[in-house]
Amino acid sequence: MMISKRNILITGSSGMLGVDLGSELARDYNIIGMDVKPSAVNHQLSAFIKCDITDKDRIIKSARDAKPDLIIHTAAWTDVDGCEEEPEKAKKINQKGTENVAISTSELSIPLIYISTDFVFDGNKKALYTENDLPNPVNIYGKSKLEGEKKVAALNKYIILRTGWMFGVNGKNFVDTILDKAKAKKEIKVVDDQIGCPTYTKDFATAIGKLLSVVPIRDTREIYHITNKGAVTWFDYTKEIIKIRGVDNIQLVPIKSDQLNRPAKRPAFSVLDNSKFEKATGFVMRPWRDALREYINAKK
Ligand SMILES: NC(=O)c1ccc[n+]([C@@H]2O[C@H](COP(=O)([O-])OP(=O)(O)OC[C@H]3O[C@@H](n4cnc5c(N)ncnc54)[C@H](OP(=O)(O)O)[C@@H]3O)[C@@H](O)[C@H]2O)c1
């Protein structure tokens, strides 16, 4: 007897994580993409719905028509400085938009997986953040994502996945910014007073697939932290990017965050502890350096 594949609706399916997640899960599930615009690279979708998550009636109707067994909500406004300058827009997309997605899952009695961020923490801990640590965001982006978490945590069936410092083929990211700068400049200034863990969207997508295969999401209300392994400052991360790329005529200058004058403050330390995820799945994420090497070498 043929067992039909379950349907997963992914919001933000044209984004950096959304595309890799769709590709990863398409082997085992029918993937319905949802975003404000289609992606040129997303060939794996069984359907695509153009929908803005801030339009409550539309997302509820679209989800009802699509009949998913699960929604994975990756759509967000991820411009950290932009959020600081336009807090109402951040609230509309990251908080209200998430509430709309949450309502649509509760209407259908299906579980919701919500992608959240290491930026919900204030960075004062100086040891790995676990799921039991209290969030205390230092910027509007982190606050809006935390408010989104609260809407999700009011549901009966949900998983909140926090990750951080993502890079991937299908989005604007720090690695590409540094590689571009290295072509055009002799000197690059980078902050050395923020520590996090770079995470490859492809690896994160694999981890989500592992979690789906072992955790019975039907009755789950859990938070998991998932990043690649390790910890690094933006400065040492940049050194590694330059080293892997083989650029030798560039000078890297360490600076402090306040010298950058950016609108949004960032947590000084936001490394997440993967232990709970590892225990649940038996799967250990590879070190960020290995993931970064694969990402850069694939571009050569
Ligand atoms: N990037 C990171 O370092 C990082 C770290 C930790 C957690 N996260 C979280 O991971 C998730 C995915 O991040 P990402 O880097 O893949 O982001 P991304 O590349 O910006 O993808 C998000 C997608 O959502 C779409 N979107 C934005 N507003 C929307 C709306 N109102 N309705 C429907 N779709 C909308 C975006 O379209 P536009 O491009 O047109 O806006 C984009 O296609 C987000 O929830 C983010 O908060 C990201």
Side-chain angles (χ1 to χ4, degrees), residues 11-19 34-37 50-55 73-79 89 92-94 97 114-119 141 145 161-167 170-173 199 201 204 234:
T11 72
S13 58
S14 306
M16 185 165 71
L17 173 64
V19 173
M34 177 184 279
D35 204 299
V36 281
K37 49 155 203 312
K50 189 166 178 278
C51 177
D52 189 317
I53 56 162
T54 63
D55 185 341
H73 175 38
T74 82
W77 192 30
T78 56
D79 176 350
K89 182 176 167 188
K92 188 174 172 193
I93 299 175
N94 296 347
Y114 173 55
I115 309 303
S116 190
T117 170
D118 57 336
F119 277 23
Y141 168 71
K145 291 292 293 183
L161 299 179
R162 297 194 187 118
T163 190
W165 291 29
M166 278 203 288
F167 61 91
N170 300 294
K172 212 173 134 223
N173 65 72
T199 301
T201 46
F204 186 41
W234 288 112

Side-chain angles (χ1 to χ4, degrees), residues 246-298:
V247 186
D248 48 18
N249 57 345
I250 194 110
Q251 201 194 349
L252 298 182
V253 181
I255 57 167
K256 299 297 165 203
S257 301
D258 53 14
Q259 289 176 261
L260 271 185
N261 264 329
R262 289 165 109 185
K265 203 177 159 202
R266 268 79 171 166
F269 181 93
S270 61
V271 187
L272 304 179
D273 186 340
N274 284 357
S275 304
K276 182 176 168 186
F277 165 76
E278 288 170 359
K279 216 169 148 196
T281 59
F283 181 71
V284 178
M285 295 284 278
R286 64 179 156 170
W288 66 265
R289 270 194 180 80
D290 296 353
L292 178 68
R293 196 172 304 114
E294 181 184 301
Y295 175 73
I296 294 177
N297 288 339

Side-chain angles (χ1 to χ4, degrees), residues 3-257:
I3 298 172
S4 59
K5 284 182 175 178
R6 286 191 293 158
N7 299 325
I8 297 183
L9 190 154
I10 299 179
T11 72
S13 58
S14 306
M16 185 165 71
L17 173 64
V19 173
D20 280 352
L21 191 56
S23 306
E24 171 68 28
L25 299 181
R27 280 192 299 272
D28 298 319
Y29 306 90
N30 293 318
I31 304 299
I32 304 148
M34 177 184 279
D35 204 299
V36 281
K37 49 155 203 312
S39 159
V41 288
N42 226 331
H43 310 295
Q44 320 269 6
L45 302 180
S46 51
F48 175 77
I49 304 165
K50 189 166 178 278
C51 177
D52 189 317
I53 56 162
T54 63
D55 185 341
K56 183 176 164 188
D57 293 341
R58 186 154 157 64
I59 176 145
I60 290 175
K61 184 179 180 316
S62 301
R64 208 183 285 142
D65 292 347
K67 298 188 179 60
D69 298 294
L70 164 74
I71 294 182
I72 306 182
H73 175 38
T74 82
W77 192 30
T78 56
D79 176 350
V80 176
D81 289 320
C83 286
E84 206 67 19
E85 289 174 322
E86 291 181 68
E88 280 310 313
K89 182 176 167 188
K91 185 174 176 181
K92 188 174 172 193
I93 299 175
N94 296 347
Q95 179 181 329
K96 289 294 293 175
T98 299
E99 183 175 19
N100 294 340
V101 177
I103 292 169
S104 68
T105 59
S106 125
E107 262 228 346
L108 294 169
S109 290
I110 58 168
L112 174 61
I113 296 184
Y114 173 55
I115 309 303
S116 190
T117 170
D118 57 336
F119 277 23
V120 296
F121 295 115
D122 61 19
N124 294 329
K125 190 181 172 194
K126 308 285 177 280
L128 301 187
Y129 277 99
T130 73
E131 293 80 358
N132 295 325
D133 286 314
L134 275 189
N136 180 33
V138 295
N139 58 39
I140 299 288
Y141 168 71
K143 282 183 187 147
S144 67
K145 291 292 293 183
L146 179 61
E147 290 306 315
E149 284 194 9
K150 289 179 186 165
K151 303 295 176 195
V152 174
L155 297 169
N156 293 327
K157 309 165 194 183
Y158 70 84
I159 293 182
I160 293 168
L161 299 179
R162 297 194 187 118
T163 190
W165 291 29
M166 278 203 288
F167 61 91
V169 182
N170 300 294
K172 212 173 134 223
N173 65 72
F174 182 77
V175 182
D176 292 353
T177 303
I178 293 299
L179 293 175
D180 286 346
K181 279 190 180 173
K183 278 187 217 148
K185 296 189 174 186
K186 293 260 166 293
E187 182 189 281
I188 306 177
K189 292 184 175 135
V190 194
V191 296
D192 71 350
D193 57 356
Q194 288 168 34
I195 300 172
C197 183
T199 301
Y200 192 10
T201 46
K202 226 174 102 187
D203 290 4
F204 186 41
T206 305
I208 294 173
K210 298 273 178 211
L211 198 67
L212 284 176
S213 68
V214 296
V215 172
I217 298 174
R218 279 247 126 239
D219 302 305
T220 301
R221 303 176 81 210
E222 294 287 353
I223 303 177
Y224 292 97
H225 289 175
I226 311 176
T227 62
N228 279 113
K229 295 285 258 193
V232 67
T233 63
W234 288 112
F235 182 77
D236 287 336
Y237 182 23
T238 306
K239 270 202 331 212
E240 192 68 17
I241 295 167
I242 296 297
K243 189 174 125 196
I244 294 171
R245 186 49 142 194
V247 186
D248 48 18
N249 57 345
I250 194 110
Q251 201 194 349
L252 298 182
V253 181
I255 57 167
K256 299 297 165 203
S257 301

